Amino acid sequence: MTPKLKMFFSEGALPTPYLAVDLDRVAKQYRRMVKAMPWAKVFYAVKANPAAPILKTLVRAKAGFDAASIEEVRQCLAAGCAPSDISYGNPIKKSASIAEAASLGVRLFVCDSEEELQKIAQHAPGAKIYTRLGVDNEGADWPLSQKFGASASTCASLLRKASDLGLIPYGVSFHVGSQQGSPAAYIDAIHQAARIFQDVAAHGIKLTMLNIGGGFPVQYRAPVPEIERFASEIDAALTTAFGAARPFIMSEPGRYLVAEAGIVCSEVVLNARRELPGQEGDWLYLDIGRFGGLAETEDEAIRYDIVSLRQQAPQRPFVLAGPTCDGVDILYRKNKVSLPSDLKEGDRVALLAAGAYVSTYSSQGFNGFAPLSEHYI
Amino acid sequence: MTPKLKMFFSEGALPTPYLAVDLDRVAKQYRRMVKAMPWAKVFYAVKANPAAPILKTLVRAKAGFDAASIEEVRQCLAAGCAPSDISYGNPIKKSASIAEAASLGVRLFVCDSEEELQKIAQHAPGAKIYTRLGVDNEGADWPLSQKFGASASTCASLLRKASDLGLIPYGVSFHVGSQQGSPAAYIDAIHQAARIFQDVAAHGIKLTMLNIGGGFPVQYRAPVPEIERFASEIDAALTTAFGAARPFIMSEPGRYLVAEAGIVCSEVVLNARRELPGQEGDWLYLDIGRFGGLAETEDEAIRYDIVSLRQQAPQRPFVLAGPTCDGVDILYRKNKVSLPSDLKEGDRVALLAAGAYVSTYSSQGFNGFAPLSEHYI
């Protein structure tokens, strides 16, 4: 927790649940990323947290942006981003959204199917096209490749067709999954992508961009490799795969830039012992749960580290649950959380590294609970 | 689909995605429920769909309401419900919410732990208390008892303590899970509850209410037993368990009252064939998905029946996915959906029996997508 966040949390003045994000920490993380990978241009994955103060911070830092929808394109432009710094990175888009993005000056689009390529050719004539290569997500805590991605041969064929359709065949992207703990996942994907470059070159098409996606991990409860290790292994693989003819490299960090800059502050609603078979143990019910924004706790995929203001008190492992009547609104049952055993209603806890993938996931009002408030400081 | 919904869907005028609910169908379903179970008073589970037009329809029909939060209590009162017709049915509540509900005239509260009982005694002195008995959810498509519920002996002990604390020990509730296909689940729970009545009677406490919860199923893709069958089996069990001394019976249908009155209308974004291992097949991407309100498709638990306007066209089984970049935003992969094979971008489909547990689940803006619009006709 940064000093600013610690002060904010300790004051305990604001109603819970809330998200607080330290914008200086976002800027610092961006600088670390750029320093580690000076050979890549960052396109921030807006979906991780599209709040205007974050977008403006990153516009000032000269980042590009990866938008998942026309709404995110508009948010980037409203934050002062140039349309040339926006990549429309969702492999499926409505035609109307493609047309609006093109009219706003966006020139860079992804596709992974011929149907989508035809839409782009019709509604964003002359745009730059990159294809999405489907790669293994082994090692990622949150998968991204279950529903998107084409084979290397389809990617090559799409890029040739893009040329025929008057589009600019620009490059290849891949996504190794979110919260990816293994640098090796990128290496393998880079070599697959390089073969697409060679394949289309044999047909007279010169690709000039490789998008290595995001997925760089942040520390929740378990330690993860540092970004510098990812950087050096990816750098080496790029040299092996492309030699002196290295293309323009795009990266799409989302979680990595904003997660560690944020905390979610929540209040205990009930601390009670449960006795029924399958429920035995101590349960802590918070005023935020899976439907209040902590969607990534599904199947306990993302395991937030959680602290209280009284970390010195005797602790006990708790099952953690949200405030709704829904039986699936349980955060951690297998991966219990150690917290002071005497926590009681009204005591506050903070979920660390919670700046990414929380606010927008929040339901608009399940069980009547309003979305958490957001504070960018 | 009711004639009103069919006309609404066929006109195709409104932007998608949207939810449309036929209020006459809600009223009709309520009448059917009351006719089947004239011995029970309905407390509509507001969480299923808290829209004001639905609440007003049910207030006019003289239903009671089961509220999961103070926000839902306020919504019921705003719709014209008397506070005496509201049950605050969430076993965990903030003290401030209990106090506000009490000040608004709500007199009926549930608990399943001593900690919660103490809160109610302090903030709603003199209120009527019922305890929640944990029961088996076998047979339910959506579980409700994973995080709540006490043993029969704890329920009895809580009711005795309620009396000591100046509260009115009122009765017992249970929840057999949502979309429960088996009447037997209720029977077993009724007999367990009856033993609590006997247990506390031996201590001089006469309980007067049994809350049999909701969970009554609606037809998605698979047929379910009719409500009349649940009614007759539950009625018989009540007679066996309580004889002539049958308590006041509360029921808490949510899904049953509103699901079949609603459709979700969505537009196809892409129809594409996938080739990668694990993805092989035809994929249909809609403009609504798991984070746009279809949360109950998690693990394909609730399997919506989906139709297009061209049901006569040759069909093919599709994997169905939502519009976001999230890898888990897949609705049906194992339980594919048969739809016209030539569906293309912009074609509309309707998800049937979608009036419950959709609107409020919707994320407030994941990937930039706004919540679906709602129309009560």
Side-chain angles (χ1 to χ4, degrees), chain A residues 69 94-95 119 146-147 151 154 269 275 285 287 290 298 322 324 326 345 359 361-362 364 367, chain B residues 69 94-95 119 146-147 151 154 269 275 285 287 290 298 322 324 326 333 345 359 361-362 364 367:
Chain A
S69 63
K94 290 191 178 184
S95 289
K119 284 197 244 170
Q146 296 184 28
K147 58 187 278 202
S151 68
T154 297
V269 182
E275 56 181 356
Y285 297 85
D287 64 1
R290 277 193 54 201
E298 180 178 339
T324 70
D326 200 315
E345 195 207 354
S359 52
Y361 264 125
S362 172
Q364 62 173 335
N367 273 216
Chain B
S69 64
K94 290 191 179 184
S95 289
K119 284 197 244 170
Q146 297 184 26
K147 58 187 278 201
S151 69
T154 297
V269 182
E275 55 181 358
Y285 297 84
D287 64 0
R290 278 193 53 201
E298 179 178 341
T324 70
D326 199 316
R333 197 202 302 242
E345 195 207 354
S359 51
Y361 264 126
S362 173
Q364 62 173 336
N367 271 216

Side-chain angles (χ1 to χ4, degrees), chain A residues 39-119:
Chain A
W39 34 262
K41 171 157 172 126
V42 168
F43 284 72
Y44 170 60
V46 176
K47 65 180 90 64
N49 188 327
I54 288 180
L55 300 184
K56 286 177 183 166
T57 298
L58 292 170
V59 166
R60 275 195 299 272
K62 306 209 181 307
F65 295 86
D66 163 49
S69 63
I70 187 64
E71 291 81 0
E72 287 191 356
V73 168
R74 291 184 205 131
Q75 288 164 345
C76 291
L77 295 173
C81 173
S84 56
D85 279 334
I86 296 174
S87 166
Y88 198 156
N90 188 334
I92 62 161
K93 302 169 280 297
K94 290 191 178 184
S95 289
S97 302
I98 297 169
E100 183 182 336
S103 76
L104 292 169
V106 175
R107 294 270 296 151
L108 184 53
F109 296 84
V110 73
C111 76
D112 66 358
S113 67
E114 179 162 354
E115 294 80 357
E116 188 74 13
L117 182 67
Q118 296 284 357
K119 284 197 244 170

